[in-house]
Amino acid sequence: MPGLLRGVARTAVVAGTATAVSNRVSRRQQGRWAAQQEYQAPAPQPAPPAERYAPPAADMTSKIEQLKQLGDLKAQGILTEAEFEDQKRRLLGS
């Protein structure tokens, strides 16, 4: 019986050691994978302030030119007052 008990004890020690090593390896791999994902994934950039999206000056110049053309068309009688106001609203986006 002592030989059988010794064999069971040895098996328990080997199984416990194998489990501990396996768990440690798994934790180490998960840590490495997590570190790689953090390293590879860039941090999200903060949204730029709204003032950066102001329309460029060239866009405003073109709108002014279009308003002048609309005014000329109205002065020539090609556009009515209502048509002029409608086109002006569309142009200015309001």
Side-chain angles (χ1 to χ4, degrees), residues 11-80:
T11 302
V13 168
V14 169
T17 304
T19 301
V21 170
S22 174
N23 288 342
R24 183 169 182 224
V25 169
S26 293
R27 281 193 305 267
R28 186 183 301 165
Q29 282 180 338
Q30 287 175 352
R32 285 181 183 171
W33 291 338
Q36 283 179 348
Q37 288 177 351
E38 288 176 10
Y39 178 73
Q40 291 175 352
Q45 297 294 327
E51 59 191 333
R52 288 187 181 176
Y53 292 108
D59 187 42
M60 189 55 72
T61 303
S62 107
K63 285 184 180 184
I64 291 172
E65 288 299 320
Q66 289 176 348
L67 283 173
K68 286 181 183 178
Q69 290 174 354
L70 286 174
D72 290 342
L73 291 173
K74 180 183 161 210
Q76 293 173 7
I78 298 173
L79 291 178
T80 65

Side-chain angles (χ1 to χ4, degrees), residues 15 18 37 44 55 69 86 88-89:
Q37 288 177 351
Q69 290 174 354
D86 183 47
K88 185 171 80 170
R89 266 185 263 127

